[in-house]
Amino acid sequence: MFKAIAHFGFKKSSKPFKDYYDGWFKTLKNVRLPQLRHAMSSSATSGPILLASHVEVMHRHFLKYYEALDLAAANDVSQVLYPDWRNPFEKPFLWVGDLHPYLFINLLRSFIGDSESEIDSDIFDKLQNWHVVMAWKSPSRKLTTGVDQIECGLRLMVPALAARARDAQAKFVEKMAVEWGKCEGRKQEMKGVVGESAAAEMEELVGVFVDANRLRRSVLSDILNVTDVNQAAVFLEALAQFFVGFRNRELLSQFDKCSLEL
């Protein structure tokens, strides 16, 4: 139903968001991620300033992506709210058009949960930076409290945004049912009614999408505020790798095989 609403009477983008995403993704995979990894491996000799600068660059790369999503939604919300250009591996992780913000916090908690695990000696050889390797050993009370507060905020905001989306759908269906009866199925009159109803609910859908993006940006920034530079680097590397993994041909092939078996 929402997809139908999104396609009614809304102008189409002259440049599909998919084109922007492809360029953004290539920069993430081929430039930002290698640069961050290099800074993580060499920060023991180059100092924390270089690592901090690459953490900031990676953070800004994600923020630019969500800003671009907002602009795309204002132009044509259907291409981002119901992205048919996403592959089947990505779609289960989507919520209101992009990654669910719970993924960010769950990824962060995975490091905290592994804080008591033994460190593989090979990691020291690969990273050559004791501070990065030990970033998540014995997380501070300040960090765990901050994570709890971020998660508490998510528990309030996610259901509220989901309720707004459901309300937009309910209002559209209700108005359509009433107007359909008045028009008695006359095609020309129905076209105008559908367009008017869709336009009203479209504005709310765009608002929901923009607020969902605002929540994603906020969670990402909050995580970086409660972590130190080494923890932030490890987290952002993992998040970037998560995005990159969606387009890993081997993983996609395995996912397709699982789908066929089901």
Side-chain angles (χ1 to χ4, degrees):
M1 174 62 72
F2 273 153
K3 189 171 185 178
I5 299 173
H7 281 290
F8 266 116
F10 205 71
K11 60 183 179 180
K12 297 299 176 184
S13 174
S14 57
K15 182 181 180 181
F17 185 77
K18 178 183 181 299
D19 293 348
Y20 172 86
Y21 183 79
D22 286 343
W24 180 90
F25 176 85
K26 288 176 183 176
T27 301
L28 176 72
K29 179 182 178 181
N30 301 325
V31 180
R32 301 300 180 220
L33 185 54
Q35 286 177 342
L36 178 62
R37 284 174 171 166
H38 176 72
M40 291 169 69
S41 66
S42 62
S43 61
T45 54
S46 60
I49 295 178
L50 177 65
L51 181 59
S53 67
H54 283 290
V55 165
E56 178 62 22
V57 167
M58 180 66 87
H59 183 204
R60 287 186 180 278
H61 192 62
F62 279 107
L63 292 182
K64 286 180 180 178
Y65 166 61
Y66 287 118
E67 289 167 1
L69 272 175
D70 285 347
L71 291 174
N75 187 59
D76 176 10
V77 74
S78 66
Q79 67 171 332
V80 288
L81 197 54
Y82 307 100
D84 54 10
W85 47 272
R86 298 278 194 180
N87 66 52
F89 191 27
E90 293 174 277
K91 289 181 179 179
F93 295 91
L94 300 182
W95 174 79
V96 193
D98 199 70
L99 292 184
H100 200 298
Y102 268 124
L103 188 147
F104 300 159
I105 204 70
N106 288 340
L107 180 60
L108 182 65
R109 282 202 178 279
S110 72
F111 292 113
I112 296 175
D114 287 342
S115 62
E116 299 303 321
S117 303
E118 292 186 8
I119 301 295
D120 188 340
S121 59
D122 290 341
I123 297 178
F124 284 98
D125 297 330
K126 291 176 182 177
L127 288 177
Q128 300 177 344
N129 185 350
W130 184 85
H131 294 289
V132 172
V133 174
M134 301 299 291
W136 291 98
K137 296 298 288 183
S138 303
S140 67
R141 176 64 66 87
K142 179 183 177 182
L143 172 61
T144 55
T145 300
V147 173
D148 288 342
Q149 290 174 344
I150 296 170
E151 193 166 21
C152 182
L154 275 175
R155 290 195 186 116
L156 293 173
M157 293 300 298
V158 168
L161 285 169
R164 282 176 58 191
R166 287 195 304 269
D167 288 346
Q169 181 180 15
K171 289 177 182 176
F172 177 81
V173 171
E174 181 181 2
K175 185 168 184 178
M176 282 295 299
V178 172
E179 296 299 334
W180 187 280
K182 291 180 181 178
C183 296
E184 298 180 347
R186 289 189 293 273
K187 230 176 179 182
Q188 278 305 110
E189 291 185 34
M190 278 307 303
K191 186 176 180 181
V193 169
V194 169
E196 182 183 340
S197 299
E201 305 316 323
M202 183 69 67
E203 186 175 345
E204 177 61 8
L205 283 176
V206 172
V208 171
F209 183 86
V210 169
D211 286 344
N213 267 351
R214 185 179 294 115
L215 180 60
R216 281 183 274 258
R217 287 197 299 267
S218 175
V219 170
L220 195 56
S221 296
D222 288 345
I223 287 173
L224 297 186
N225 285 335
V226 300
T227 53
D228 63 33
V229 65
N230 295 301
Q231 292 167 339
V234 174
F235 169 78
L236 286 175
E237 181 202 19
L239 181 60
Q241 186 55 54
F242 202 92
F243 273 80
V244 170
F246 282 134
R247 296 196 172 188
N248 182 286
R249 291 182 180 179
E250 184 178 342
L251 289 175
L252 274 169
S253 177
Q254 291 176 1
F255 184 83
D256 287 340
K257 287 180 182 178
C258 291
S259 300
L260 288 173
E261 289 174 5
L262 289 174

